[in-house]
Amino acid sequence: MRYPAYLEQRFTFPDFYHVRLTPPDNSLAHPVTTLENRLVPALDQMGLKPGQTVAVGVGSRGIAKIAGFTARICRCIREKGGRPFILPAMGSHGSAMARGQAAVLEKLGITQETCNARIVPEM
């Protein structure tokens, strides 16, 4: 289809180029271990005292291996003498209800048994 000259002049486009972006691979070989190696010094720095309770906020937005991360965080806190508890931090997931959010955590593999920490979903 041919357009009138005034339209062709008005709608000229620059050349298009195919661009392929290949981002660098920044993945970690052992992400859970890397987390622990960075978390332990942070816990030392914050001055966690024996018996102190620590909330571990856990969301539901597609973090790979989130159950492993959560369990390791809780374990590190316990090893420093703290008493971790898991606090769902997911807004409307699970119908924004305590029981529903606990169910979402369970589907992700995060339970009181796997993390050895209470889950406190009450808002």
Side-chain angles (χ1 to χ4, degrees), residues 16-80:
F16 286 88
Y17 297 94
H18 245 334
V19 177
R20 182 181 307 249
L21 175 64
T22 306
D25 181 9
N26 293 329
S27 61
L28 301 171
H30 305 285
V32 176
T33 303
T34 302
L35 167 73
E36 181 174 359
N37 292 339
R38 294 184 181 174
L39 178 61
V40 169
L43 290 172
D44 290 338
Q45 188 177 26
M46 68 181 264
L48 180 64
K49 295 173 181 56
Q52 189 173 17
T53 57
V54 179
V56 178
V58 180
S60 58
R61 292 289 180 194
I63 296 173
K65 303 179 183 185
I66 193 167
F69 284 125
T70 306
R72 187 70 60 99
I73 290 167
C74 291
R75 189 183 89 195
C76 289
I77 292 169
R78 278 192 314 281
E79 287 174 352
K80 294 293 180 182

